[in-house]
Amino acid sequence: MSRRIAVFTGNRAEYGLQRPIISAIKNHPNLDYQLVVSGAHLDTNFGNTLAEIVQDGFEIAVEVQIEMDGSALNGTATAIGTGVIAIGEALQQLKPDMLVVYADRFEGFAAVVAGSQMNIPVAHIEGGDLTEGGALDDSIRHAMTKLSHLHFTTNLQATNRVLGMGEEAWRVFTVGLPSNDLIKNGEYATREEVFERLTLTAERPIVIFTQHSVTTEFDQAGAQVVPSLDALSRLADEGVQVIVTYPNNDAGSDQIIDRIRAVSHANIQVRPSLGRHLYHGVLGLALDRSLRVACAGNSSSGIKETPMFGCPTVNVGSRQQGRLRGDNVLTVDYSSEEIYSAIHRCLFDGPFREECFKTSSPYYMEGSASRIAEVLASIPLDRKLLQKTMTLQGEEQNGWHR
């Protein structure tokens, strides 16, 4: 009898990272997937990402509505609370053998709370990573680690941090970033498709930009995106083709969207969401050295996925502080001049561009998704899996010590 694996997804970026995992589960002879879709997927203001899931050929087992007000922090607290209740009801209906949850989103945290409290073994992807720059991601991610029963990490540094939290070694698997499987296999939009769908030309440089709010500074989100938009407008004046996508639905996102909507320039196009296929297609243009392509903003994709394409990247502000990165990433402050200069370097500095082409990804390991599926299919579903043991005993030796 196949194991039923519930997979929770709450927003576009998370789904793009999970897609190869869902496919691997779907294609495994001893696994069946149950897709639980929630969060921004069900909010048309953030793009029609529900349609993307259907277009990818996946069946949605259940849609879970979560109340979210992006204008205030208590909206996130409300979303977590209503999410725990609604996701718990969905899991009660589906009765999965295991639950797979990704990364560090508040919707995923609600899913982990619901699943773990229902004695459903939880597999957490991307635990142990760091983002120390003011977002609440680290707190959420590490809390999800302690609530989960299996850990699939993207790099050895992350593995060491999970072990350092007292997790048993047999629970932790270093598998790399699953979405890099798709990139390595060339599963993204072709050059021709990108140019046609986004009305781009090869004769002029291209910049793709996404900036999310920093949760602990959500009231400054609007002001923090203004320098980026000013720099992009200046580049657009010079003929650069700019694609701006909406942020995630975090607290402060409404401020960013308001500023984005106010931008009016012939060379700047605004898209609520490109979807994983087209987004990776834009980054994939960087593989053609005759084109000048750069990524900018503060999305984790600018850190984790751009090295696979050798795409020069400008990371703005503190949101991704502490995250492991390749040599293709430049980090700047919320300064229009710094942002402009860094993007200009990404587009026109030959030696730096050559360095970017040669960079290696610290997140790539071959066959990441299939390795995850194999563990999900083979790990014993017993009391040992559910009953966690803390490996750090805290013995006293000549006084308390770390």
Side-chain angles (χ1 to χ4, degrees):
M1 181 177 177
S2 294
R3 290 181 176 179
R4 298 184 303 275
I5 310 297
V7 181
F8 177 86
T9 176
N11 83 338
R12 66 185 186 198
E14 175 191 74
Y15 169 71
L17 297 166
Q18 288 176 302
R19 183 181 177 277
I21 302 172
I22 303 168
S23 291
I25 294 172
K26 179 180 179 181
N27 295 329
H28 197 286
N30 298 322
L31 298 175
D32 291 323
Y33 74 95
Q34 300 171 313
L35 198 52
V36 180
V37 176
S38 187
H41 286 303
L42 308 182
D43 187 342
T44 56
N45 291 322
F46 291 88
N48 192 16
T49 56
L50 196 64
E52 180 185 353
I53 296 174
V54 175
Q55 288 168 4
D56 283 339
F58 297 127
E59 295 181 10
I60 298 172
V62 62
E63 297 178 15
V64 179
Q65 291 286 348
I66 295 179
E67 298 176 20
M68 177 63 192
D69 177 6
S71 63
L73 281 178
N74 74 313
T76 306
T78 300
I80 292 172
T82 59
V84 171
I85 296 171
I87 296 167
E89 292 173 350
L91 294 175
Q92 180 65 24
Q93 168 192 333
L94 296 174
K95 294 180 170 52
D97 295 301
M98 302 182 76
L99 170 66
V100 173
V101 183
Y102 206 98
D104 52 20
R105 296 282 304 170
F106 60 84
E107 307 99 330
F109 177 63
V112 171
V113 171
S116 63
Q117 300 312 299
M118 296 172 67
N119 282 339
I120 299 171
V122 178
H124 181 214
I125 319 292
E126 212 173 298
D129 278 11
L130 290 183
T131 46
E132 302 168 327
L136 296 174
D137 296 359
D138 267 8
S139 300
I140 292 291
R141 184 189 301 106
H142 301 331
M144 290 168 71
T145 291
K146 293 309 298 180
L147 288 168
S148 298
H149 306 90
L150 290 173
H151 313 284
F152 296 101
T153 63
T154 64
N155 61 88
L156 287 172
Q157 288 185 19
T159 295
N160 287 339
R161 293 189 193 102
V162 171
L163 294 173
M165 293 182 220
E167 294 298 295
E168 297 164 280
W170 64 268
R171 298 180 183 272
V172 187
F173 301 85
T174 310
V175 297
L177 188 71
S179 60
N180 282 341
D181 286 352
L182 302 177
I183 297 171
K184 186 70 173 179
N185 295 334
E187 297 181 40
Y188 48 83
T190 63
R191 168 179 167 148
E192 292 72 25
E193 183 181 355
V194 172
F195 281 7
E196 180 181 351
R197 290 180 61 182
L198 297 176
T199 60
L200 300 173
T201 176
E203 282 67 45
R204 292 187 285 131
I206 299 166
V207 174
I208 184 164
F209 172 82
T210 306
Q211 186 163 317
H212 306 295
S213 68
V214 177
T215 321
T216 54
E217 303 168 359
F218 83 100
D219 55 334
Q220 303 174 45
Q224 287 175 344
V225 80
V226 168
S228 293
L229 296 177
D230 287 346
L232 293 171
S233 295
R234 181 177 169 187
L235 290 159
D237 287 340
E238 298 171 1
V240 175
Q241 303 167 98
V242 179
I243 306 157
V244 177
T245 68
Y246 278 13
N248 291 330
N249 61 331
D250 301 304
S253 61
D254 57 331
Q255 300 174 45
I256 296 175
I257 292 171
D258 287 344
R259 300 302 195 284
I260 290 173
R261 285 174 173 169
V263 173
S264 179
H265 198 294
N267 288 331
I268 298 178
Q269 57 178 298
V270 176
R271 303 281 181 133
S273 174
L274 292 184
R276 197 263 337 152
H277 179 74
L278 187 56
Y279 179 77
H280 280 172
V282 175
L283 296 180
L285 297 176
L287 291 169
D288 184 343
R289 297 193 185 193
S290 70
L291 302 177
R292 299 184 182 275
V293 181
C295 177
N298 65 5
S299 170
S300 62
S301 64
I303 306 289
K304 297 184 297 185
E305 295 167 82
T306 58
M308 295 291 292
F309 300 102
C311 182
T313 298
V314 176
N315 176 56
V316 179
S318 62
R319 192 173 192 269
Q320 299 299 332
Q321 184 176 318
R323 192 183 282 278
L324 182 66
R325 63 196 63 191
D327 296 331
N328 64 311
V329 179
L330 301 174
T331 297
V332 297
D333 204 351
Y334 302 109
S335 160
S336 177
E337 186 60 38
E338 285 188 36
I339 297 166
Y340 169 84
S341 297
I343 297 176
H344 195 275
R345 183 182 177 192
C346 288
L347 296 174
F348 300 106
D349 183 335
F352 176 66
R353 286 170 54 79
E354 187 64 27
E355 184 179 345
C356 293
F357 292 138
K358 294 178 180 178
T359 193
S360 60
S361 171
Y363 295 97
Y364 176 68
M365 294 182 184
E366 186 177 0
S368 174
S370 60
R371 292 170 64 190
I372 292 172
E374 192 55 46
V375 172
L376 295 177
S378 60
I379 197 83
L381 300 181
D382 54 17
R383 184 176 299 177
K384 180 182 177 183
L385 183 62
L386 281 174
Q387 295 181 347
K388 297 180 65 174
T389 298
M390 166 63 75
T391 64
L392 306 177
Q393 300 304 316
E395 300 95 340
E396 179 185 355
Q397 296 178 9
N398 302 319
W400 293 109
H401 63 96
R402 295 174 65 186

PDB file of all heavy atoms in Angstrom, residues 66 75-86 110:
ATOM      1  N   ILE A  66      -6.710  30.992   4.446  1.00  0.00           N
ATOM      2  CA  ILE A  66      -6.113  31.572   5.646  1.00  0.00           C
ATOM      3  C   ILE A  66      -6.332  33.076   5.610  1.00  0.00           C
ATOM      4  O   ILE A  66      -6.000  33.733   4.622  1.00  0.00           O
ATOM      5  CB  ILE A  66      -4.591  31.271   5.727  1.00  0.00           C
ATOM      6  CG1 ILE A  66      -4.344  29.768   5.880  1.00  0.00           C
ATOM      7  CG2 ILE A  66      -3.951  32.022   6.884  1.00  0.00           C
ATOM      8  CD1 ILE A  66      -2.877  29.387   5.946  1.00  0.00           C
ATOM      9  N   GLY A  75      -1.863  40.788  11.558  1.00  0.00           N
ATOM     10  CA  GLY A  75      -2.415  40.003  10.467  1.00  0.00           C
ATOM     11  C   GLY A  75      -1.681  38.681  10.321  1.00  0.00           C
ATOM     12  O   GLY A  75      -2.296  37.650  10.040  1.00  0.00           O
ATOM     13  N   THR A  76      -0.375  38.674  10.543  1.00  0.00           N
ATOM     14  CA  THR A  76       0.401  37.442  10.483  1.00  0.00           C
ATOM     15  C   THR A  76       0.020  36.515  11.633  1.00  0.00           C
ATOM     16  O   THR A  76      -0.121  35.303  11.447  1.00  0.00           O
ATOM     17  CB  THR A  76       1.909  37.749  10.539  1.00  0.00           C
ATOM     18  OG1 THR A  76       2.238  38.688   9.520  1.00  0.00           O
ATOM     19  CG2 THR A  76       2.726  36.481  10.345  1.00  0.00           C
ATOM     20  N   ALA A  77      -0.142  37.086  12.824  1.00  0.00           N
ATOM     21  CA  ALA A  77      -0.546  36.269  13.975  1.00  0.00           C
ATOM     22  C   ALA A  77      -1.914  35.642  13.731  1.00  0.00           C
ATOM     23  O   ALA A  77      -2.132  34.452  14.031  1.00  0.00           O
ATOM     24  CB  ALA A  77      -0.567  37.127  15.238  1.00  0.00           C
ATOM     25  N   THR A  78      -2.816  36.430  13.169  1.00  0.00           N
ATOM     26  CA  THR A  78      -4.151  35.910  12.846  1.00  0.00           C
ATOM     27  C   THR A  78      -4.060  34.801  11.811  1.00  0.00           C
ATOM     28  O   THR A  78      -4.734  33.772  11.910  1.00  0.00           O
ATOM     29  CB  THR A  78      -5.052  37.037  12.327  1.00  0.00           C
ATOM     30  OG1 THR A  78      -5.177  38.049  13.334  1.00  0.00           O
ATOM     31  CG2 THR A  78      -6.436  36.511  11.970  1.00  0.00           C
ATOM     32  N   ALA A  79      -3.196  35.014  10.799  1.00  0.00           N
ATOM     33  CA  ALA A  79      -3.046  34.014   9.742  1.00  0.00           C
ATOM     34  C   ALA A  79      -2.524  32.697  10.304  1.00  0.00           C
ATOM     35  O   ALA A  79      -2.985  31.620   9.914  1.00  0.00           O
ATOM     36  CB  ALA A  79      -2.107  34.546   8.666  1.00  0.00           C
ATOM     37  N   ILE A  80      -1.568  32.773  11.221  1.00  0.00           N
ATOM     38  CA  ILE A  80      -1.030  31.546  11.823  1.00  0.00           C
ATOM     39  C   ILE A  80      -2.120  30.832  12.617  1.00  0.00           C
ATOM     40  O   ILE A  80      -2.296  29.608  12.503  1.00  0.00           O
ATOM     41  CB  ILE A  80       0.181  31.867  12.717  1.00  0.00           C
ATOM     42  CG1 ILE A  80       1.358  32.352  11.857  1.00  0.00           C
ATOM     43  CG2 ILE A  80       0.593  30.633  13.534  1.00  0.00           C
ATOM     44  CD1 ILE A  80       2.534  32.874  12.655  1.00  0.00           C
ATOM     45  N   GLY A  81      -2.866  31.598  13.410  1.00  0.00           N
ATOM     46  CA  GLY A  81      -3.917  30.990  14.237  1.00  0.00           C
ATOM     47  C   GLY A  81      -5.013  30.345  13.408  1.00  0.00           C
ATOM     48  O   GLY A  81      -5.375  29.172  13.633  1.00  0.00           O
ATOM     49  N   THR A  82      -5.534  31.091  12.428  1.00  0.00           N
ATOM     50  CA  THR A  82      -6.589  30.520  11.578  1.00  0.00           C
ATOM     51  C   THR A  82      -6.026  29.393  10.722  1.00  0.00           C
ATOM     52  O   THR A  82      -6.732  28.426  10.416  1.00  0.00           O
ATOM     53  CB  THR A  82      -7.211  31.599  10.680  1.00  0.00           C
ATOM     54  OG1 THR A  82      -6.195  32.179   9.846  1.00  0.00           O
ATOM     55  CG2 THR A  82      -7.854  32.694  11.505  1.00  0.00           C
ATOM     56  N   GLY A  83      -4.729  29.516  10.365  1.00  0.00           N
ATOM     57  CA  GLY A  83      -4.110  28.478   9.558  1.00  0.00           C
ATOM     58  C   GLY A  83      -4.001  27.157  10.292  1.00  0.00           C
ATOM     59  O   GLY A  83      -4.256  26.094   9.715  1.00  0.00           O
ATOM     60  N   VAL A  84      -3.610  27.202  11.565  1.00  0.00           N
ATOM     61  CA  VAL A  84      -3.505  25.970  12.355  1.00  0.00           C
ATOM     62  C   VAL A  84      -4.853  25.252  12.382  1.00  0.00           C
ATOM     63  O   VAL A  84      -4.939  24.029  12.178  1.00  0.00           O
ATOM     64  CB  VAL A  84      -3.028  26.275  13.786  1.00  0.00           C
ATOM     65  CG1 VAL A  84      -3.133  25.025  14.657  1.00  0.00           C
ATOM     66  CG2 VAL A  84      -1.586  26.787  13.778  1.00  0.00           C
ATOM     67  N   ILE A  85      -5.907  26.010  12.600  1.00  0.00           N
ATOM     68  CA  ILE A  85      -7.249  25.412  12.678  1.00  0.00           C
ATOM     69  C   ILE A  85      -7.664  24.831  11.336  1.00  0.00           C
ATOM     70  O   ILE A  85      -8.075  23.666  11.232  1.00  0.00           O
ATOM     71  CB  ILE A  85      -8.276  26.460  13.150  1.00  0.00           C
ATOM     72  CG1 ILE A  85      -7.954  26.906  14.583  1.00  0.00           C
ATOM     73  CG2 ILE A  85      -9.692  25.897  13.056  1.00  0.00           C
ATOM     74  CD1 ILE A  85      -8.778  28.101  15.047  1.00  0.00           C
ATOM     75  N   ALA A  86      -7.540  25.634  10.268  1.00  0.00           N
ATOM     76  CA  ALA A  86      -8.002  25.208   8.947  1.00  0.00           C
ATOM     77  C   ALA A  86      -7.166  24.058   8.392  1.00  0.00           C
ATOM     78  O   ALA A  86      -7.698  23.103   7.805  1.00  0.00           O
ATOM     79  CB  ALA A  86      -7.976  26.397   7.988  1.00  0.00           C
ATOM     80  N   ALA A 110       2.248  27.246  10.481  1.00  0.00           N
ATOM     81  CA  ALA A 110       0.913  26.802  10.906  1.00  0.00           C
ATOM     82  C   ALA A 110       0.694  25.335  10.542  1.00  0.00           C
ATOM     83  O   ALA A 110       0.128  24.564  11.323  1.00  0.00           O
ATOM     84  CB  ALA A 110      -0.161  27.686  10.258  1.00  0.00           C
TER      85      ALA A 110
END
